[in-house]
Amino acid sequence: MRPLDFLNLRNISGQIAALVIVSIVAIHLIFTAIFFVHRPDQPDPSVDRGHAQFAAAVQLLGSASAAERPRLCADIARAFPQLDIASLPPGPVPAASDPEGLDLRSLHRRLDSSYRIFPLAHDGDSHRVGIALPDGAMIAARILPDQRQRPFWGGPWMVTLLFAIVSVSLLGLWAARALTAPLSSFAKAAENFSLNGAAPPLPERGPEEIRSVAKAFNRMRERITALIDDRTKMLAAISHDLRTPITRMRLRSEFIEDDMHRHRMLSDLDQMRSMLESVLSFLRNDRKLEAMTLTDVASTLQLITDQFADMGHKVVYDGPDHAMATVRPDDLHRSVTNLVENAVRFGAMATIRLHASPDTVTIEVEDDGPGISDARKDVMLEPFVRGDDARNMDEAEGFGLGLSIARAIALAHGGKLSLNDRQPHGLIVRIQLPVRQPNRQSAA
């Protein structure tokens, strides 16, 4: 990284640096604006005007005669009710002193030394003071409080600080969300990665580093898709081309005179043809997805039950008469059919169970066969893996693709497939599918 790369706004470091600088400048401008609006360094005109009114009223009463003073005091009280002027009874004059919490320097400049200001005892209003006039008479009045003496926590600076903190916090949250949104899209794109082309490419926007990672991710997905396409096409071509020699060998086998040898040869050729069809089916399922439609899953399972029952197998259905879900009906039919084929192959009977809830549908295919050991459960879900000796009773049937295809179909629906033990023996294959598919799958 070059020393001045942090100044490049296309980089994450540049955007973070710009965010810090903009935040500092914003706070400075906010404090400066509040300072010039309130001007704490200048005297408060309202306070100075109140002291001027107070001093003028006191001087007017001090120059009036004792006979005129009550009437004049009443007139001043009507004209300036905020001063709350009233006469005090005669008595000894207290010593002059300024009440606590009041700044009376402006008032002292307007009144000479013949006027003495003293606090009133037993008065709940700290802004009400007594004034001794030059002739010894005393009056009481209320002084306008000095707004400049308000504490910091109640003044404009606290409001400014809170406003600055909230503004910068919101700016930081917005910037953090804007910078981390591409990272969240990376995780979502990796989670939704599929080979069927349903998921759109990752948007290449944001800071330069994010765009580089998005571009590399899209190129990686294209290379993986191309690699899988080439593998699928190659295997499909090989499997398809092998059909021709198998057909020729079958025709030639018909001319074998020995019935036993002819039967064995035809049986081997049928097994090879079945294996090729299974491989082609697995490869087609790996790439091509059926459209999602609202389907009655219960009816599909009942149809599968009837089909196997017609073939002489002991298969029963246990579940509700109707259960609607958004699925791929043909893929679901194929998946459950594979599971039931395994169940009747390795057990005397099979049960298809359906449990429906508002969010998921659970399909269970249960058999009473020998089951699968815990050590083999994960391996059995891989393609071309057969069961252990307990379930591998007939090597002429099955190629290890039934469970793999069923699992792939369940994953394509956004669900999952699991293998569970049945008591006292047997296997339960459980498929859990969401009732409503996400939009990305619905559009597939």
Side-chain angles (χ1 to χ4, degrees), residues 102-373:
L102 295 180
D103 185 3
L104 303 182
R105 288 175 294 180
S106 174
L107 189 58
H108 286 304
R109 287 195 299 268
R110 289 176 168 80
L111 298 176
D112 55 36
S113 58
S114 60
Y115 295 90
R116 288 182 292 176
I117 301 175
F118 56 90
L120 292 177
H122 308 295
D123 197 322
D125 189 353
S126 60
H127 298 288
R128 189 170 175 79
V129 297
I131 302 98
L133 302 179
D135 61 358
M138 294 182 293
I139 62 174
R142 188 176 185 276
I143 299 177
L144 184 67
D146 189 348
Q147 301 295 327
R148 292 174 298 167
Q149 300 302 316
R150 290 184 302 178
F152 174 79
W153 298 105
W157 295 107
M158 185 57 187
V159 177
T160 303
L161 180 61
L162 291 176
F163 179 77
I165 292 175
V166 172
S167 301
V168 174
S169 299
L170 294 177
L171 179 62
L173 291 175
W174 172 83
R177 182 178 178 83
L179 292 176
T180 57
L183 300 179
S184 301
S185 64
F186 286 155
K188 185 177 181 180
E191 184 70 23
N192 298 340
F193 181 82
S194 62
L195 299 174
N196 53 45
L202 190 65
E204 299 177 5
R205 60 172 180 264
E208 187 173 356
E209 296 89 347
I210 300 297
R211 292 200 305 271
S212 299
V213 175
K215 187 179 298 183
F217 182 87
N218 290 332
R219 287 200 303 266
M220 180 190 69
R221 183 168 63 178
E222 293 174 357
R223 290 194 296 267
I224 292 176
T225 303
L227 178 64
I228 298 299
D229 282 338
D230 293 341
R231 182 215 66 172
T232 303
K233 292 177 182 177
M234 179 187 66
L235 294 177
I238 294 174
S239 300
H240 183 271
D241 292 343
L242 285 176
R243 287 180 173 181
T244 302
I246 290 176
T247 303
R248 289 199 302 263
M249 293 176 64
R250 183 177 182 84
L251 292 175
R252 292 170 183 172
S253 300
E254 295 292 344
F255 295 99
I256 298 177
E257 296 180 357
D258 191 323
D259 292 340
M260 184 181 65
H261 285 215
R262 183 174 64 254
H263 177 73
R264 290 179 178 177
M265 180 66 73
L266 293 176
S267 179
D268 291 340
L269 292 174
D270 288 339
Q271 183 180 0
M272 292 176 62
R273 180 175 53 81
S274 179
M275 184 183 298
L276 288 176
E277 290 178 355
S278 297
V279 171
L280 289 174
S281 178
F282 177 74
L283 294 176
R284 284 195 302 269
N285 183 79
D286 190 38
R287 295 299 297 144
K288 186 178 180 180
L289 291 179
E290 182 188 2
M292 304 289 292
T293 57
L294 186 62
T295 306
D296 189 349
V297 178
S299 298
T300 301
L301 300 183
Q302 293 173 18
L303 175 61
I304 296 173
T305 302
D306 295 339
Q307 290 174 346
F308 277 90
D310 293 340
M311 291 186 292
H313 299 291
K314 192 175 181 181
V315 179
V316 297
Y317 169 75
D318 181 13
D321 294 333
H322 300 282
M324 305 302 294
T326 304
V327 297
R328 299 180 175 92
D330 291 341
D331 287 348
L332 179 63
H333 186 282
R334 179 185 177 196
S335 173
V336 178
T337 299
N338 287 346
L339 299 180
V340 177
E341 286 179 351
N342 286 339
V344 299
R345 181 182 303 150
F346 300 113
M349 65 170 295
T351 302
I352 304 176
R353 288 193 174 89
L354 175 63
H355 305 279
S357 69
D359 298 326
T360 60
V361 291
T362 302
I363 303 171
E364 294 181 350
V365 178
E366 176 184 316
D367 66 66
D368 58 352
I372 298 177
S373 61

